[in-house]
């Protein structure tokens, strides 16, 4: 039995306790994302920054920071939104600001295994101390580094009176438990565990709850409490929808689902929800996309439902629970799962499954304020069906319970995104050929490998066929690239807006043909010529006529009726913008897309006059422009609002 923790009410006292109880250099771990105690870390950084006698090594990931409003029209739009969405009191992480400026003190080192996407491309300190690790290998690496303290934000049960008996790891069950076990397995002293209680963090029980004495120090600082970091939801465009609908045809009723975050995942979840709630509309979209599975009887509404097993619980899973797609329950009982699998389960087994089963497992959650409110207000029966697990349990098959995991994860589809893919099946998801890291490997490799280890699973990597780069359109399906995240011997399924490429077990020539078929038509000739020159494609090959349809214009035409009918909304999982801001977001995106033709754009803008959308101009404080700069900004915005008015 561990002794009761020390209860504190001051962040400075918690820092003092850490410095007193841990001697020598500090090797501190902090969870990724939402579970990072921003205020406590800022108090620690402030104390340590001026004291070279106490070196600090911070190990973490995904250090969330509100976006910088920037300049010009972007600043006019983002400034008020950032203040409203994140709250004026949101504590930006001091070490993140220092990292961006390469201004960390010499005795402070920050090592992350996953970066906020693109945020640290220009930070030498962040790039040098990035650790490329599979998510499931992080606990081992922390033990190797001599982890001697962990700080984590936790939730307190609303049912507790004065002194809590339990605390919930809530948003981050992913690494804390695994890290402590890994350190102890090395024969090293148990890390000092400090919990910061956040009254706004949703209480999740079950495997997320730990006895209060599991922590050494519990600090409950006084309010006001900053808002939980909400990821702004992205608009979903035609390309995203096409990818999501094509991908959705791979999901089998009664199967297992893993998804990531972002517009592609949102589109996929919208497609799955529509498949269940309005199957006719779902099939009409597939027909417009010329999907060969548009009439497949297997794509009926879900009967058995899906089991979600994903490192991250996000907005998409919330929607799938709400509409009844996620409902296939599993239990951590091998014998019972075997009886369910072979059809010998009796009424008592089924009653236990209904009572104790869970249909969604995750290792962390992150999303919008709406997601957090949903988790906070879950009815008891629904809350019991959502289990927060260690990342080693979610992202891997290894362990004494491998047979159980295999039974639970039947017919699994593991969906992830990548930036680039090669014609021979390799994927680039986390970095550039220069070696600079955009984000990180995270759990992507885990799920790709698991898909190959499970008999009936598939790894599906989704990507947009093109991108804008330096004012020109370039292909995201290339012959080769100087950085690889997923090697081509682990190739499986790729999805672009132009369809599916099933590469599992295929020969190189077949891979080239399949990948070119889902590339933008403007790049087909170059790809095929390179393949012939490299000896990977017979010279007599001629592309089918239907490949010429792989263009943005044809895609837009096909989806336009469904857009007009409201079947494909801009924000299918909810919007963080007001109606006016949503219009402005479309307009600003149009300006960014056409920004390479600056002179032509400026000439058109000078003739645009002022927009009839007075609300939009007022929101941007450009309804009464003053000076040449504001005059031009108002007319650029007017042009963009008119060009996007019908979208």
């Amino acid at each position: 039995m561990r002794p009761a923790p020390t209860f504190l009410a001051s962040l400075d006292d918690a820092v003092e306790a850490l410095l007193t109880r841990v001697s020598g250099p500090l090797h501190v771990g902090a969870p990724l994302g939402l579970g990072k105690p921003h205020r406590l870390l800022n108090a620690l950084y402030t104390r340590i920054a001026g004291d070279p006698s106490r070196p600090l090594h911070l190990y973490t990931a995904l250090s969330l920071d509100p976006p910088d409003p920037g300049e010009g029209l972007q600043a006019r739009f983002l400034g008020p939104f950032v203040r409203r969405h994140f709250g004026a009191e949101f504590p930006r992480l001091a070490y993140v600001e220092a990292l961006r400026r390469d201004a960390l003190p010499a005795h402070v080192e920050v090592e992350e295994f996953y970066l906020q996407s693109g945020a640290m491309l220009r930070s030498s300190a962040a790039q040098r101390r990035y650790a490329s690790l599979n998510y499931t290998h992080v606990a081992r690496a922390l033990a190797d580094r001599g982890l001697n303290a962990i700080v984590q934000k936790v939730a307190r049960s609303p049912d507790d009176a004065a002194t809590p008996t339990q605390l919930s790891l809530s948003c981050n069950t992913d690494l804390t438990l695994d890290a402590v076990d890994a350190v102890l397995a090395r024969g090293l002293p148990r890390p000092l565990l400090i919990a910061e209680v956040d009254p706004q963090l949703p209480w999740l029980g079950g495997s997320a709850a730990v006895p209060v004495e599991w922590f050494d120090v519990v600090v409950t600082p006084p309010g006001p409490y900053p808002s939980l970091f909400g990821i702004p939801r992205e608009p979903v465009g035609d390309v995203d929808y096409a990818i999501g609908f094509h991908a959705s045809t791979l999901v089998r009723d009664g199967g297992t689902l893993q998804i990531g975050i972002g517009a592609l995942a949102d589109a996929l979840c919208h497609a799955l929800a529509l498949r269940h709630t309005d199957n006719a509309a779902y099939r009409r979209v597939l027909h417009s996309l010329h999907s060969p599975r548009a009439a497949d009887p297997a794509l009926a509404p879900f009967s058995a439902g899906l089991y979600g097993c994903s490192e991250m619980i996000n907005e998409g899973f919330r929607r799938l629970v709400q509409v009844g797609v996620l409902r296939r329950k599993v239990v951590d009982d091998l014998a019972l799962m075997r009886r369910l699998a072979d059809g010998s389960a009796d009424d008592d087994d089924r009653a236990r499954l209904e009572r104790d089963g869970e249909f969604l497992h995750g290792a962390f959650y992150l999303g919008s304020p709406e997601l957090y409110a949903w988790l906070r207000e879950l009815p008891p029966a629904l809350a019991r069906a959502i289990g927060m697990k260690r990342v080693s349990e979610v992202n891997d098959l290894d362990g004494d319970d491998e047979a159980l995991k295999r039974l639970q994860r039947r017919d699994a589809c593991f969906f992830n995104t990548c930036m680039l893919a090669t014609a021979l099946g390799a994927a680039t998801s986390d970095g550039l050929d220069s070696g600079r890291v955009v984000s990180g490997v995270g759990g992507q490799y885990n799920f790709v490998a698991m898909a190959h280890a499970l008999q009936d699973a598939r790894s599906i990597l989704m990507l947009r066929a093109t991108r804008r780069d330096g004012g020109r359109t370039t292909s995201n399906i290339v012959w080769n690239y100087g950085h690889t995240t997923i090697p081509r011997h682990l190739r499986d399924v790729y999805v672009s807006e132009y369809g599916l490429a099933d590469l599992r077990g295929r020969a190189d020539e077949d891979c080239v043909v399949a990948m070119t078929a889902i590339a933008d038509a403007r790049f087909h000739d170059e790809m095929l010529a390179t393949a012939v020159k490299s000896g990977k494609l017979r010279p007599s090959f001629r592309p089918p006529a239907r490949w010429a349809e792989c263009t943005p214009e044809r895609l837009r035409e096909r989806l336009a009726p469904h857009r007009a009918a409201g079947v494909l909304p801009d924000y299918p999982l909810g919007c963080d913008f007001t109606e006016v801001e949503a219009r402005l977001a479309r307009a600003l995106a149009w300006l960014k897309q056409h920004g390479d033709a600056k002179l032509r754009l400026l000439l058109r803008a000078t003739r645009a006059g002022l927009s009839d959308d007075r609300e939009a101009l007022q929101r941007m404080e450009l309804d009464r422009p003053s000076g040449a700069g504001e005059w031009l900004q108002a007319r650029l915005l007017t042009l963009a609002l008119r060009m996007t008015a019908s979208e």
Side-chain angles (χ1 to χ4, degrees):
M1 185 71 176
R2 290 184 52 78
T6 300
F7 291 94
L8 301 172
S10 162
L11 293 169
D12 288 336
D13 288 347
V15 171
E16 186 62 39
L18 171 60
L19 296 176
T20 300
R21 299 192 192 190
V22 177
S23 58
L26 299 169
H27 294 268
V28 179
L32 61 79
L34 203 62
K36 201 183 287 19
H38 282 217
R39 293 196 293 171
L40 179 57
L41 284 169
N42 281 347
L44 175 62
Y45 181 80
T46 299
R47 177 75 178 269
I48 291 297
D51 184 4
S53 69
R54 296 302 302 269
L56 169 64
H57 305 266
L58 177 64
Y59 309 107
T60 188
L62 197 55
S63 296
L64 296 170
D65 196 41
D68 182 357
E71 301 175 342
L73 287 171
Q74 177 180 296
R76 289 176 179 273
F77 177 75
L78 276 182
F81 172 76
V82 167
R83 288 191 293 274
R84 183 186 78 241
H85 185 76
F86 296 98
E89 77 284 359
F90 189 87
R92 290 181 179 268
L93 288 163
Y95 72 80
V96 169
E97 294 187 14
L99 270 174
R100 284 215 175 97
R101 295 181 288 110
D102 283 330
L104 284 176
H107 63 289
V108 176
E109 191 173 83
V110 178
E111 184 177 304
E112 298 199 68
F113 71 88
Y114 198 94
L115 305 173
Q116 193 168 356
S117 185
M120 293 296 176
L121 281 170
R122 294 179 178 82
S123 168
S124 173
Q127 292 292 328
R128 284 186 286 107
R129 300 310 304 166
Y130 166 76
S132 185
L133 296 166
N134 288 332
Y135 206 167
T136 51
H137 296 167
V138 173
R140 180 181 68 192
L142 292 173
D144 290 342
R145 285 153 174 73
L147 185 74
N148 54 27
I150 296 175
V151 296
Q152 176 158 354
K153 190 182 288 188
V154 300
R156 179 172 171 169
S157 172
D159 298 328
D160 277 328
T163 303
T165 58
Q166 286 187 312
L167 295 170
S168 174
L169 300 180
S170 187
C171 54
N172 284 86
T173 52
D174 52 341
L175 285 170
T176 305
L177 299 163
D178 281 343
V180 171
D181 287 351
V183 170
L184 294 177
R186 289 281 200 285
L188 300 172
R190 186 178 188 268
L192 182 75
L193 300 180
I194 300 180
E196 179 188 327
V197 176
D198 187 338
Q200 299 195 81
L201 202 62
W203 169 270
L204 294 177
S207 50
V210 296
V212 68
E213 58 269 15
W214 194 74
F215 286 97
D216 301 289
V217 176
V218 177
V219 57
T220 307
Y225 297 98
S227 302
L228 298 178
F229 191 100
I231 302 290
R233 286 168 284 196
E234 303 175 38
V236 177
D238 290 339
V239 167
D240 308 321
Y241 269 127
I243 293 169
F245 273 78
H246 283 306
S248 72
T249 65
L250 297 167
V251 178
R252 286 167 281 186
D253 189 19
T256 303
L257 181 67
Q258 180 262 331
I259 56 174
I261 192 171
L264 298 185
D266 291 355
L268 168 62
C269 290
H270 179 69
L272 292 172
L274 193 67
R275 170 175 157 184
H276 186 62
T277 60
D278 190 346
N279 198 255
Y282 170 73
R283 290 179 185 275
R284 285 195 294 271
V285 176
L286 289 180
H287 181 76
S288 295
L289 291 171
H290 296 178
S291 169
R293 300 198 62 195
D296 193 329
L299 297 182
F302 293 94
S303 175
L306 303 178
Y307 158 57
C309 186
S310 185
E311 65 186 25
M312 178 180 181
I313 294 177
N314 56 27
E315 224 69 43
F317 282 116
R318 176 176 66 91
R319 174 60 57 83
L320 295 178
V321 171
Q322 289 173 327
V323 300
V325 171
L326 277 186
R327 65 174 185 274
R328 180 174 73 84
K329 291 184 175 181
V330 302
V331 289
D332 289 341
D333 182 322
L334 179 58
L336 176 52
M337 290 302 300
R338 280 176 172 160
R339 291 195 296 274
L340 291 167
D342 65 21
S344 63
D346 58 21
D347 289 343
D348 288 341
D349 287 334
R350 285 184 284 272
R352 184 186 164 199
L353 178 68
E354 181 58 32
R355 182 184 68 248
D356 300 334
E358 297 174 333
F359 54 63
L360 178 57
H361 287 152
F364 73 98
Y365 64 77
L366 185 62
S368 71
E370 196 174 350
L371 172 68
Y372 307 145
W374 178 72
L375 288 169
R376 196 178 295 115
E377 297 161 8
L378 285 173
L382 196 56
R384 286 194 298 271
I386 299 175
M388 299 300 294
K389 301 282 189 177
R390 302 172 185 231
V391 75
S392 59
E393 295 178 2
V394 173
N395 284 35
D396 216 337
L397 293 175
D398 288 348
D400 297 335
D401 58 352
E402 180 178 341
L404 173 65
K405 291 176 180 176
R406 287 180 175 274
L407 285 169
Q408 293 174 338
R409 298 171 195 193
R410 68 175 190 241
D411 291 329
C413 281
F414 301 124
F415 291 97
N416 289 284
T417 61
C418 61
M419 300 186 302
L420 301 170
T422 71
L424 298 177
T428 297
S429 308
D430 66 316
L432 308 178
D433 59 359
S434 65
R436 286 187 297 162
V437 180
V438 176
S439 53
V441 177
Q444 184 170 114
Y445 177 85
N446 292 143
F447 287 106
V448 171
M450 194 173 1
H452 285 276
L454 291 167
Q455 184 66 30
D456 52 6
R458 302 306 300 263
S459 162
I460 303 107
L461 294 180
M462 304 183 292
L463 80 162
R464 300 174 179 93
T466 63
R467 70 186 186 280
R468 296 289 289 175
D469 185 10
R472 61 192 183 96
T473 299
T474 61
S475 179
N476 286 331
I477 298 174
V478 298
W479 183 251
N480 54 31
Y481 191 68
H483 173 76
T484 296
T485 309
I486 303 299
R488 71 185 180 109
H489 68 269
L490 291 178
R491 63 194 181 280
D492 200 342
V493 179
Y494 284 94
V495 186
S496 84
E497 60 266 38
Y498 302 120
L500 308 173
D502 188 343
L503 308 187
R504 180 179 281 195
R506 305 282 293 277
D508 280 357
E509 183 174 44
D510 300 329
C511 292
V512 169
V513 172
M515 291 300 287
T516 307
I518 66 168
D520 188 289
R522 289 168 287 181
F523 303 96
H524 288 174
D525 289 347
E526 180 184 356
M527 179 73 76
L528 297 175
T530 302
V532 170
K533 183 179 179 181
S534 302
K536 293 294 184 179
L537 183 67
R538 62 189 183 279
S540 61
F541 177 83
R542 295 295 179 269
R546 67 178 183 276
W547 285 17
E549 296 283 297
C550 297
T551 67
E553 295 77 18
R554 289 293 293 123
L555 182 66
R556 189 160 48 248
E557 290 171 9
R558 291 171 184 169
L559 293 184
H562 308 291
R563 284 284 199 180
V567 174
L568 305 178
D570 285 345
Y571 296 91
L573 304 185
C575 183
D576 302 296
F577 297 138
T578 65
E579 289 186 15
V580 174
E581 286 173 337
R583 295 200 299 272
L584 285 166
R586 286 196 298 271
L588 293 175
W590 185 89
L591 280 175
K592 183 177 181 180
Q593 181 182 357
H594 295 82
D596 49 295
K598 289 181 181 178
L599 181 57
R600 195 179 320 123
L601 206 61
L602 289 171
L603 289 173
R604 291 176 65 187
T606 57
R607 298 191 293 267
L610 281 182
S611 173
D612 295 331
D613 191 342
R614 305 301 295 178
E615 287 182 307
L617 290 176
Q618 288 168 359
R619 166 60 176 79
M620 298 286 278
E621 297 184 353
L622 288 172
D623 53 319
R624 296 180 179 178
S626 173
E630 288 192 0
W631 184 90
L632 186 55
Q633 284 184 347
R635 277 150 180 81
L636 281 168
L637 183 60
T638 290
L639 175 63
L641 285 166
R642 288 176 180 165
M643 296 302 297
T644 56
S646 61
E647 294 183 7

